[in-house]
Amino acid sequence: MKKSRIDVSVIVPVHNEEGLIRQFIEEVDSACSNLNLSYEIIVVENGSKDKTWQYLQEISKVNRKIKVFQLKTAGYGLAIITGIKKSLGQYGIIFNVDFWDKKFLMLTKVNILEQDIIIGSKCLPGSLDFRGFRRRAVTKVFNLFLNLFLGYRGTDSHGIKLLRLQTVLPILKLCKTKTGIFDSELMIRSQRGGLKILELPVTVKEIRPDRFGLNRLLKTPLDIYKLYISLKE
């Protein structure tokens, strides 16, 4: 484990986010600065077809705390893995451009409540999920599958995560999936590995058009199968 030189590494996988990326980075950068954290923001662009990478290069040239990396093909899980491996922080926080929460930054000031992972659950009592009906339904069915067939005891596995990197990195090395299902593999393996996990309620809103189309929906069963195989190995 490399020595942590900063408090927090904010890890952000991005794909075709030219419309949101500048405002997102400005807001997170300001939040970290106001909390007097030593931090870096690691943005991993993967397979974008718009100007996301161009904008990231421009931003990183004027702010050294913004570190940008590019993957040639789209891969949500691979982008997160890359970001974690590049991190120098004691803690890592996984944010999406359309879903982040300042309280997870604040939790680093209190040693993340002595947990190894704190996850923002969209399904926890007290959470407010303003996404469309289809996305909410898929989330509930997907989590039910994880509970019943893979023994996952949490209420959500995707979304915001605050990680104690020293304890999570050994789990990361066991993970085999590199697609959108990576989130679930990381959480299931962390649970099976005895890590201390805390769920917190979050508020989720759609701030751009829903990308959860038919193609992504049809890929879900294949991703679930890949996860099942990975966990059996």
Side-chain angles (χ1 to χ4, degrees):
M1 173 69 184
K2 53 194 172 187
K3 184 178 179 180
S4 299
R5 297 195 293 270
I6 58 176
D7 297 327
V8 183
S9 297
V10 178
I11 300 149
V12 191
V14 296
H15 177 76
N16 292 338
E17 296 288 8
E18 65 179 9
L20 300 176
I21 191 62
R22 289 185 185 276
Q23 180 179 348
F24 167 82
I25 289 178
E26 288 176 3
E27 291 177 353
V28 174
D29 184 50
S30 176
C32 290
S33 180
N34 289 339
L35 288 169
N36 293 318
L37 296 171
S38 58
Y39 66 96
E40 61 183 357
I41 300 175
I42 298 176
V43 188
V44 185
E45 185 276 318
N46 60 107
S48 295
K49 303 299 184 183
D50 62 5
K51 295 182 179 179
T52 298
W53 178 241
Q54 175 186 328
Y55 291 169
L56 286 173
Q57 289 177 299
E58 294 170 358
I59 294 167
S60 65
K61 287 179 181 178
V62 298
N63 188 337
R64 292 186 177 181
K65 292 185 180 295
I66 315 301
K67 302 177 182 179
V68 299
F69 301 91
Q70 184 179 40
L71 304 178
K72 294 300 182 182
T73 57
Y76 175 81
L78 182 58
I80 294 176
I81 293 169
T82 300
I84 292 176
K85 288 182 176 180
K86 298 291 185 180
S87 298
L88 297 176
Q90 179 181 2
Y91 308 112
I93 303 181
I94 300 170
F95 284 154
N96 290 323
V97 172
D98 63 336
F99 182 27
W100 74 281
D101 190 325
K102 182 179 178 180
K103 70 171 172 279
F104 288 84
L105 293 168
M106 298 172 66
L107 285 166
T108 64
K109 306 288 283 185
V110 290
N111 191 26
I112 70 170
L113 304 178
E114 299 185 353
Q115 302 294 308
D116 295 307
I117 299 177
I118 299 180
I119 178 170
S121 171
K122 301 178 289 294
C123 303
L124 200 66
S127 291
L128 298 174
D129 190 347
F130 295 106
R131 298 176 302 160
F133 172 79
R134 179 174 57 183
R135 292 197 67 184
R136 287 185 280 115
V138 169
T139 294
K140 290 184 180 298
V141 172
F142 180 76
N143 289 330
L144 181 62
F145 175 90
L146 296 183
N147 298 152
L148 293 178
F149 297 101
L150 295 177
Y152 182 56
R153 297 189 297 276
T155 65
D156 202 353
S157 63
H158 283 63
I160 297 171
K161 295 178 186 65
L162 171 53
L163 315 171
R164 188 183 304 278
L165 290 179
Q166 185 174 8
T167 55
V168 171
L169 278 173
I171 302 295
L172 185 74
K173 294 177 181 178
L174 301 176
C175 294
K176 298 178 175 62
T177 57
K178 294 179 172 59
T179 61
I181 205 73
F182 164 79
D183 272 331
S184 298
E185 181 177 11
L186 178 64
M187 292 307 300
I188 292 172
R189 288 191 183 277
S190 295
Q191 184 183 85
R192 292 180 179 181
L195 269 61
K196 292 182 288 186
I197 300 171
L198 174 67
E199 295 186 331
L200 292 180
V202 290
T203 297
V204 191
K205 299 178 180 179
E206 299 279 17
I207 63 174
R208 55 164 158 68
D210 183 4
R211 294 179 176 180
F212 202 97
L214 180 60
N215 287 338
R216 186 172 176 186
L217 182 62
L218 294 175
K219 284 179 61 179
T220 300
L222 179 59
D223 281 341
I224 290 174
Y225 175 73
K226 290 180 179 178
L227 174 60
Y228 175 78
I229 296 299
S230 297
L231 292 169
K232 285 292 185 181
E233 294 178 356

